[in-house]
């Protein structure tokens, strides 16, 4: 097992390589509460694929919108961050099957820009300039969401960069 820290985001992102053991996969499915009872379209479902495994002695957890392409015994490199006793994966490269995977950071950047645009629109509204509390709360919320999405996109980009040889 090898650990390779990042230097960009205060070493919060690092990479670990090793052989997969004790692999377990599960599907988490959330249903939109506005789903009509007679409609079974996949539009109303949100799916997350969770993989738990070990690389050496390190417990690993990965949650993606598509299943990871790994099997027991595969040689993989994962990059992410430590959360309590489990390493949270942001990106991975399976050297055995020659497959890489990560969440789409571009969508996060576009989402952050959208929320930032809404916040800028709120700044220019009369309600915020008049000192009303509710628009200021919305403004703060939109700015927080935009900041989080941009930060998450940067983490994923950094994690992808750590997988390069």
């Amino acid at each position: 097992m090898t650990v390779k820290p990042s230097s960009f985001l205060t070493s919060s992102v690092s990479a670990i390589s090793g052989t997969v053991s004790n692999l377990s996969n599960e599907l988490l499915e959330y249903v939109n509460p506005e789903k009509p009872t007679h409609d079974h379209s996949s539009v109303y479902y949100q799916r997350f694929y969770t993989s738990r495994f070990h690389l050496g002695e390190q417990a690993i957890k990965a949650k993606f919108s598509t299943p990871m392409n790994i099997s027991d015994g595969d040689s993989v490199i994962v990059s992410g961050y430590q959360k309590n006793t489990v390493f949270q994966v942001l990106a991975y490269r399976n050297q055995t099957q020659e497959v890489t995977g990560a969440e789409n950071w571009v969508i996060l950047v576009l989402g952050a820009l959208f929320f930032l645009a809404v916040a800028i629109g709120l700044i220019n509204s009369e309600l915020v300039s008049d000192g009303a509390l509710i628009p200021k709360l919305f403004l703060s919320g939109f700015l927080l969401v935009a900041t989080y999405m941009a930060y998450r996109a940067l983490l994923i980009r950094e994690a992808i960069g750590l997988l390069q040889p």
Side-chain angles (χ1 to χ4, degrees):
M1 178 172 69
T2 311
V3 176
K4 178 180 166 187
S6 163
S7 59
F8 176 64
L9 294 168
T10 64
S11 298
S12 61
V13 178
S14 60
I16 300 173
S17 62
T19 303
V20 175
S21 63
N22 301 330
L23 175 65
S24 69
N25 294 311
E26 60 185 79
L27 170 66
L28 300 173
E29 195 167 65
Y30 299 101
V31 180
N32 184 341
E34 297 175 0
K35 174 188 171 304
T37 56
H38 64 279
D39 191 350
H40 298 292
S41 170
S42 65
V43 171
Y44 298 104
Y45 296 94
Q46 177 135 20
R47 292 175 179 85
F48 294 100
Y49 298 90
T50 304
S51 298
R52 298 174 195 268
F53 54 94
H54 284 85
L55 289 180
E57 295 297 317
Q58 179 66 54
I60 308 290
K61 180 181 177 185
K63 189 190 305 186
F64 292 108
S65 57
T66 57
M68 284 183 78
N69 294 320
I70 60 171
S71 302
D72 274 325
D74 283 355
S75 176
V76 298
I77 301 173
V78 295
S79 57
Y81 57 93
Q82 190 74 28
K83 184 176 181 183
N84 298 327
T85 61
V86 178
F87 190 80
Q88 301 287 322
V89 177
L90 294 171
Y92 71 96
R93 183 174 70 198
N94 186 333
Q95 296 172 313
T96 304
Q97 299 179 24
E98 297 181 7
V99 177
T100 60
E103 285 298 325
N104 194 340
W105 63 273
V106 175
I107 297 299
L108 283 171
V109 168
L110 292 175
L113 289 174
F114 171 77
F115 280 103
L116 186 62
V118 171
I120 290 171
L122 272 174
I123 287 174
N124 293 328
S125 74
E126 270 186 43
L127 291 173
V128 171
S129 62
D130 290 343
L133 177 64
I134 299 298
K136 286 183 180 179
L137 290 175
F138 276 107
L139 174 65
S140 300
F142 283 121
L143 286 174
L144 284 173
V145 169
T147 303
Y148 173 76
M149 292 177 84
Y151 174 71
R152 187 80 177 169
L154 285 173
L155 281 178
I156 292 171
R157 277 298 298 148
E158 185 68 17
I160 292 169
L162 286 175
L163 296 178
Q164 307 306 321

